[in-house]
Amino acid sequence: MAKFIILLSLVGLYFGFLAFAFEPSPLQDFCVADPSSSAKVNGLACKSPALVEANDFSFSGLHLPGNTSNPNGSKVTPVSVAQVPGLNTLGISMVRIDYVPWGINPPHTHPRATEILTVIEGSLQVGFVTSNPGNSLVTKTLQKGDVFVFPVGLIHFQRNMGTGNAVAIAGLSSQNPGVITIANAVFGSNPNLSSDILAKAFQVDKSVVDQLQAKF
Ligand SMILES: *[C@@H]1O[C@H](CO)[C@@H](O)[C@H](O)[C@H]1NC(C)=O
Ligand SMILES: *[C@@H]1O[C@H](CO)[C@@H](O)[C@H](O)[C@H]1NC(C)=O
Ligand SMILES: *[C@@H]1O[C@H](CO)[C@@H](O)[C@H](O)[C@H]1NC(C)=O
C-alpha cells in the first residue's frame, strides 16, 4: 500500500511537471493582447472584451513569399502573438518559410515550442539533434505534403534540396515560441563571449573564433 501511494505521488509529480512545462490552459474564451497595457503578466494583458474585433484574430499575406535575399537563402514569416493579438494565452502560432535552392533555415531551437512542419512546395531535408549524451541526428528528406516534427528545445534545421524554390508552413505550440539561432547566439552575442571560452569549447585556435565573431 505504501509503495502504491509513493508510486501515485510520483505519477502526480510527473504530470504536475508536464503541466508546468507548457503554456497554461486559458481561463476564459480569449484574452486578446493589449500591448499598450503597463500590467506585467506571463504573456500580455487582455484588452477589454468589449473592444475585441475580428481583426484581432486575423492576419493577411501568408500567400506572399518572404524575401530570401540573405546569406541563409531563406525567410521565416512569423504569425505569432506579435502579429495576431488574439493568440495571447492560446499556446499556438505558425510560420511560413521560403527557401531558394540550397537555402537553409540554419540550426536553431525554440525554447518554448514543439514545431510541426509541412512542405507545400519543393523538397526539404530536415533534422534535429537529440540532447546529451547521445546527440543523435534524426534527419529525413521531405517531399511536398510530407510532415515532420521538431520536439521542443531541440536544435533543428531545414535545407532546400530541390532545383526550385521551396515553401513550408509550420505550427508551433506557443503564442511566442522564441528562437535561438545557434551561430548567432554563440558567435554574435552582445557583448562577445570571451574568445578564450569559445576556443576551448570548440577546440580551435582563437583566430578561428575571432573570424567567426567578426561574421556574426
Ligand atoms: C530583399 O532584401 C534585400 C536585402 O535586404 C534588399 O536589398 C531587397 O531590396 C529586398 N527586396 C524586396 C523586394 O523587398
Ligand atoms: C539566418 O536566419 C536566422 C534565423 O532565421 C537569423 O537569425 C539569422 O540572422 C540569419 N542570418 C543571416 C546571415 O541572414
Ligand atoms: C566581437 O568580436 C569581433 C571579432 O573580434 C568584433 O569584430 C566584433 O565587433 C565584436 N562584437 C562585439 C559586440 O563586441
Side-chain angles (χ1 to χ4, degrees), residues 48-69:
S48 160
L51 302 176
V52 166
E53 47 183 78
N55 279 342
D56 290 324
F57 300 95
S58 172
F59 176 90
S60 294
L62 223 52
H63 61 302
L64 300 171
N67 183 347
T68 48
S69 305

Side-chain angles (χ1 to χ4, degrees), residues 101-142:
W102 298 106
I104 61 162
N105 186 6
H108 64 280
T109 86
H110 303 292
R112 294 177 286 277
T114 289
E115 175 173 352
I116 182 164
L117 173 145
T118 186
V119 179
I120 59 170
E121 204 57 67
S123 161
L124 290 178
Q125 184 197 3
V126 298
F128 63 80
V129 178
T130 66
S131 59
N132 301 352
N135 298 142
S136 317
L137 173 65
V138 178
T139 183
K140 187 172 161 75
T141 298
L142 307 180

Side-chain angles (χ1 to χ4, degrees), residues 189-192 210 213-214:
S189 67
N190 191 6
N192 280 330
D210 290 342
Q213 284 181 328

Side-chain angles (χ1 to χ4, degrees), residues 3-212:
K3 266 191 194 154
F4 181 67
I5 289 171
I6 290 169
L7 182 70
L8 259 190
S9 34
L10 282 178
V11 168
L13 259 182
Y14 177 69
F15 284 102
F17 257 114
L18 277 188
F20 281 118
F22 293 91
E23 295 181 20
S25 302
L27 304 175
Q28 62 260 308
D29 282 355
F30 49 73
C31 166
V32 172
D34 175 6
S36 63
S37 167
S38 60
K40 296 287 168 240
V41 295
N42 186 19
L44 293 150
C46 316
K47 78 179 193 185
S48 160
L51 302 176
V52 166
E53 47 183 78
N55 279 342
D56 290 324
F57 300 95
S58 172
F59 176 90
S60 294
L62 223 52
H63 61 302
L64 300 171
N67 183 347
T68 48
S69 305
N70 59 58
N72 292 323
S74 77
K75 180 68 183 181
V76 178
T77 306
V79 186
S80 47
V81 72
Q83 290 76 32
V84 178
L87 283 174
N88 193 38
T89 74
L90 296 183
I92 194 167
S93 61
M94 68 186 293
V95 295
R96 169 186 170 129
I97 316 174
D98 289 274
Y99 316 79
V100 297
W102 298 106
I104 61 162
N105 186 6
H108 64 280
T109 86
H110 303 292
R112 294 177 286 277
T114 289
E115 175 173 352
I116 182 164
L117 173 145
T118 186
V119 179
I120 59 170
E121 204 57 67
S123 161
L124 290 178
Q125 184 197 3
V126 298
F128 63 80
V129 178
T130 66
S131 59
N132 301 352
N135 298 142
S136 317
L137 173 65
V138 178
T139 183
K140 187 172 161 75
T141 298
L142 307 180
Q143 308 300 334
K144 185 170 173 170
D146 292 348
V147 171
F148 198 79
V149 173
F150 305 107
V152 59
L154 300 189
I155 294 177
H156 60 281
F157 66 91
Q158 301 105 34
R159 172 167 63 165
N160 183 357
M161 300 296 281
T163 51
N165 291 338
V167 183
I169 298 282
L172 295 121
S173 62
S174 169
Q175 66 177 37
N176 178 26
V179 55
I180 302 170
T181 304
I182 306 308
N184 299 58
V186 174
F187 297 109
S189 67
N190 191 6
N192 280 330
L193 271 161
S194 140
S195 52
D196 272 347
I197 295 176
L198 293 179
K200 278 213 176 88
F202 287 82
Q203 297 177 32
V204 293
D205 207 76
K206 265 171 69 171
S207 65
V208 176
V209 171
D210 290 342
Q211 213 181 327
L212 284 163

